[in-house]
Amino acid sequence: MSDKLMIDYPALTMYQMVERTVKEYPDDAAIEFYGKYITYKELMKRIERCAKAFTAMGIGKGDAVTLCLPNIPQTLECFYALNRIGAICNMVHPQSAQKEITYYLDVSESKAIVTVDLFFENVSRAIKNADHAVTAIICRMQNELPLHLAAVYLLKKGKSYLKYPNTENSILYRNFLKGAEKVDSAPVVGYEKDRTAAILYSGGTSGLPKGICLTDLNFNACAMQSKTAMDIEITRGMRVLSCMPMFHGFGLGINIHVPLIYGACCMLMPTFNKHTYAKALVQKRPNFIAGVPTIFEALLHLPELEGKDLSYLLGMFCGGDSLSVELKKKIDKFLKEHHADIQVREGYGLTECVTASCLTPKNEYRENSIGLPYPDTYYQIVRPGTDDVLPFGEEGEIILRGPSVMTRYLKNPEETANTLRQLADGNIWLYTGDLGSMDEDGYVYFKQRIKRMIITNGYNVYPGPIENLIDGVDEVAYSCVIGVRDPRRMQRVRAYVVLHDGVEPTEDMKQKIMDVLKLNIAVYALPKEIVFRDELPKTLVGKVAYRKLEDEANAEEENA
């Protein structure tokens, strides 16, 4: 296996990568937000002003600042401003629970937190419980909207939050920016290979989220690899619908950093609603869209897209959760019917390597495959619980290595040692906790999270293939299969099913689903129950929250 690099990764920070684009295309649009455009030159001025404001308040190299924001222009300027001065961006979902935010502030030792007035009350309570002093900087979204929309937003939502900020240690964003006048310049901290640039979070085995320490190289490599793997020329003037949130590696790495270093325009969406998303698709005519399966599934039956020409789409990329074979077929059919000469391409990765590290090729698809590894990224399959590399075709744990892999988990050496392991080849490999295989051509096949395996009557049952079959039933929108504690079987299989609008959840529909399953899977793996729901709980990034369903079902069993 050759380690010769296919891509030349420059020794630049993320800020410096964007700065290169600014020099090349200063007058091109970098950001679009509800019809308001910001050029690259203007974006750089805003980043510089923001960097000076952070410098004025004493934020410098190695200091952490929490960004608890949706996809709004202030998020981008803060992110790249902090990167410019060598500070650490601690990325947090704005709808996180109060105790979660306190944990994020404490574990990162954040000196400040930037949020929007809509979420300030929750953030304020979180700060009070932090183990150190934290300054809150409060943005108002209406300040970035065109005048007519700002007035509407103020009347509908904004007026309720005008009293914020209202504490000693909080400041309005516009007043924070005035601090830039107090300093002559902000430093431009140069590239350092292993310096933490951003912290993103994922679930931990202890119940606490794990802070994933990522570097400039991690983000820049992931962006450059993604462009190469996409096999599509990304040029100035192209448009990316940036709906995936920036606190998530997929949103930050693919929806934001890729377009900004290649001269495209990020069309920001702060929240996802299937109807507004569909309208944005038609009105904004993006060339690239990226999202989780639930986003794309939602588009298939919307009246806003009926008969519309989507031929301007050059790429649709799906990640963050497994895309079933049947849903892929439905989406590809939808694209063809709407004159888009593309297929939905599934990516695979983890936040521990920013986001995607594997992608379906542009013009080829192998059923159940998540595609080929990114350039300069290597995959192997090992026997679960060991470091023994398995031959092609055998199923085991997916491990990978490459320039986008994190340096460590924040303040968690035990989890770091479990996840980043040095093998006999002398290289550090990332153990994903995912089950899969590879074929002789290098195509990777993801089965599912190892920990998601259901054990019933001594048999191992994997939810993925069952969900795939259920999703293939015409009347089904999506499903989730879980294991429920059972005194006789250890666990029994339960399927939660969401039907398309207008379809009745009848016993006949249950039987139709069971008939499909009985033809395709073993008797021991069949669901003992099918539960219809209008919708299923989602994680903060739009995945079906199967753990929440498991907790709910097991609590019901205990109380029965």
Side-chain angles (χ1 to χ4, degrees):
M1 165 182 313
S2 170
D3 274 359
K4 187 176 180 181
L5 293 176
M6 292 177 61
I7 299 172
D8 179 21
Y9 305 104
L12 297 174
T13 64
M14 285 183 278
Y15 163 80
Q16 290 170 328
M17 291 288 282
V18 174
E19 187 181 38
R20 291 201 314 186
T21 313
V22 173
K23 290 174 180 175
E24 197 166 357
Y25 310 126
D27 298 318
D28 286 14
I31 299 171
E32 184 273 344
F33 188 63
Y34 288 100
K36 181 179 174 182
Y37 287 88
I38 298 171
T39 65
Y40 274 95
K41 181 167 61 179
E42 186 183 350
L43 175 62
M44 184 54 67
K45 285 179 181 176
R46 291 174 61 141
I47 292 170
E48 288 173 355
R49 179 182 60 176
C50 188
K52 288 170 69 176
F54 277 122
T55 302
M57 72 179 294
I59 303 295
K61 182 180 177 181
D63 292 331
V65 174
T66 294
L67 300 186
C68 186
L69 294 162
N71 286 8
I72 56 177
Q74 295 101 318
T75 316
L76 272 76
E77 65 184 60
C78 284
F79 180 81
Y80 288 103
L82 290 166
N83 187 253
R84 168 185 165 135
I85 64 175
I88 300 166
C89 299
N90 190 49
M91 308 301 288
V92 171
H93 194 303
Q95 290 181 319
S96 298
Q98 176 194 318
K99 287 184 179 179
E100 289 178 314
I101 295 175
T102 300
Y103 170 76
Y104 296 138
L105 293 172
D106 289 347
V107 74
S108 65
E109 301 177 30
S110 288
K111 290 189 172 182
I113 180 170
V114 189
T115 190
V116 288
D117 51 12
L118 179 67
F119 303 114
F120 177 65
E121 193 169 354
N122 190 43
V123 167
S124 179
R125 287 195 296 265
I127 288 173
K128 285 178 184 174
N129 291 302
D131 62 13
H132 63 288
V134 181
T135 301
I137 302 166
I138 314 304
C139 304
R140 298 208 197 283
M141 195 162 73
Q142 58 261 39
N143 293 345
E144 293 295 339
L145 294 169
L147 284 175
H148 67 289
L149 291 180
V152 173
Y153 179 82
L154 190 60
L155 285 171
K156 283 188 173 181
K157 285 186 178 179
K159 65 181 179 181
S160 304
Y161 305 105
L162 289 178
K163 62 181 177 179
Y164 303 129
N166 57 1
T167 66
E168 244 179 66
N169 297 318
S170 57
I171 183 174
L172 268 178
Y173 191 74
R174 65 170 180 242
N175 294 330
F176 155 75
L177 290 176
K178 288 176 184 175
E181 299 165 10
K182 299 175 185 176
V183 297
D184 293 330
S185 63
V188 178
V189 173
Y191 172 82
E192 293 174 27
K193 184 173 180 287
D194 293 322
R195 187 182 72 233
T196 298
I199 302 168
L200 304 180
Y201 290 88
S202 72
T205 54
S206 66
L208 290 173
K210 294 177 291 189
I212 296 164
C213 296
L214 298 164
T215 67
D216 287 299
L217 174 62
N218 292 156
F219 278 97
N220 291 338
C222 183
M224 296 175 78
Q225 291 172 337
S226 295
K227 180 180 180 289
T228 302
M230 286 175 190
D231 193 21
I232 304 169
E233 192 60 34
I234 304 173
T235 58
R236 61 186 299 191
M238 286 187 170
R239 300 173 298 280
V240 178
L241 191 56
S242 303
C243 176
M244 290 297 292
M246 281 184 67
F247 61 80
H248 188 268
F250 195 12
L252 183 56
I254 302 299
N255 279 215
I256 300 295
H257 197 51
V258 170
L260 288 183
I261 68 172
Y262 290 110
C265 178
C266 299
M267 312 179 90
L268 299 181
M269 290 188 71
T271 58
F272 173 76
N273 171 285
K274 62 184 180 182
H275 298 291
T276 54
Y277 189 91
K279 287 175 184 174
L281 264 183
V282 174
Q283 293 168 3
K284 299 179 188 291
R285 297 171 64 85
N287 304 111
F288 302 98
I289 56 176
V292 293
T294 50
I295 287 180
F296 297 139
E297 188 281 328
L299 301 180
L300 300 179
H301 304 279
L302 292 178
E304 292 91 343
L305 295 177
E306 195 171 334
K308 300 297 183 185
D309 181 356
L310 302 179
S311 59
Y312 43 81
L313 281 177
L314 302 177
M316 175 189 272
F317 304 97
C318 187
D321 203 354
S322 183
L323 175 69
S324 71
V325 174
E326 292 303 328
L327 182 54
K328 175 176 166 55
K329 288 177 181 175
K330 291 177 185 178
I331 294 171
D332 286 345
K333 181 172 179 282
F334 168 87
L335 289 168
K336 187 175 181 181
E337 289 170 351
H338 291 75
H339 313 295
D341 189 23
I342 58 172
Q343 63 166 322
V344 59
R345 297 169 63 185
E346 185 174 8
Y348 164 82
L350 305 91
T351 312
E352 284 83 350
C353 58
V354 183
T355 179
S357 59
C358 186
L359 183 66
T360 305
K362 184 166 68 171
N363 296 315
E364 188 176 345
Y365 172 65
R366 296 191 182 185
E367 195 164 287
N368 291 309
S369 171
I370 48 174
L372 295 168
Y374 270 11
D376 304 326
T377 297
Y378 302 96
Y379 273 60
Q380 287 190 150
I381 309 297
V382 296
R383 196 179 312 283
T386 76
D387 298 335
D388 301 334
V389 177
L390 294 172
F392 293 122
E394 287 200 30
E395 205 171 81
E397 182 175 359
I398 299 170
I399 66 172
L400 62 94
R401 65 179 176 89
S404 68
V405 171
M406 69 172 187
T407 56
R408 68 188 188 282
Y409 288 122
L410 181 66
K411 298 179 181 176
N412 199 333
E414 187 177 341
E415 287 273 23
T416 301
N418 287 336
T419 305
L420 297 178
R421 302 188 212 167
Q422 187 171 25
L423 296 190
D425 62 6
N427 293 303
I428 302 293
W429 291 80
L430 169 63
Y431 279 63
T432 67
D434 289 337
L435 199 64
S437 60
M438 286 179 70
D439 66 23
E440 292 183 358
D441 297 322
Y443 281 80
V444 183
Y445 299 81
F446 168 82
K447 191 153 191 179
Q448 66 183 55
R449 297 291 297 172
I450 290 174
K451 290 175 185 173
R452 205 184 160 198
M453 184 175 67
I454 300 166
I455 301 176
T456 181
N457 282 335
Y459 293 102
N460 295 343
V461 174
Y462 299 102
I466 304 173
E467 291 167 351
N468 191 20
L469 288 165
I470 296 172
D471 292 349
V473 176
D474 289 340
E475 293 85 352
V476 173
Y478 62 98
S479 62
C480 181
V481 173
I482 66 164
V484 183
R485 289 193 200 110
D486 187 278
R488 287 195 304 111
R489 302 180 184 90
M490 189 170 180
Q491 289 178 301
R492 67 179 182 274
V493 181
R494 177 184 291 180
Y496 289 91
V497 177
V498 176
L499 300 171
H500 288 305
D501 292 345
V503 179
E504 290 295 319
T506 62
E507 288 300 316
D508 286 345
M509 182 52 60
K510 280 187 185 181
Q511 192 57 51
K512 181 173 182 179
I513 293 169
M514 286 301 296
D515 288 345
V516 170
L517 295 177
K518 285 175 181 176
L519 283 172
N520 292 278
I521 62 172
V523 173
Y524 66 80
L526 288 172
K528 300 300 178 186
E529 302 143 325
I530 292 178
V531 179
F532 292 117
R533 291 276 183 90
D534 291 335
E535 59 181 344
L536 298 181
K538 304 287 200 317
T539 66
L540 295 177
V541 295
K543 300 180 188 180
V544 175
Y546 69 87
R547 284 196 181 96
K548 190 169 183 179
L549 288 171
E550 287 173 346
D551 292 344
E552 175 191 305
N554 290 324
E556 286 173 4
E557 287 299 305
E558 288 173 10
N559 297 325

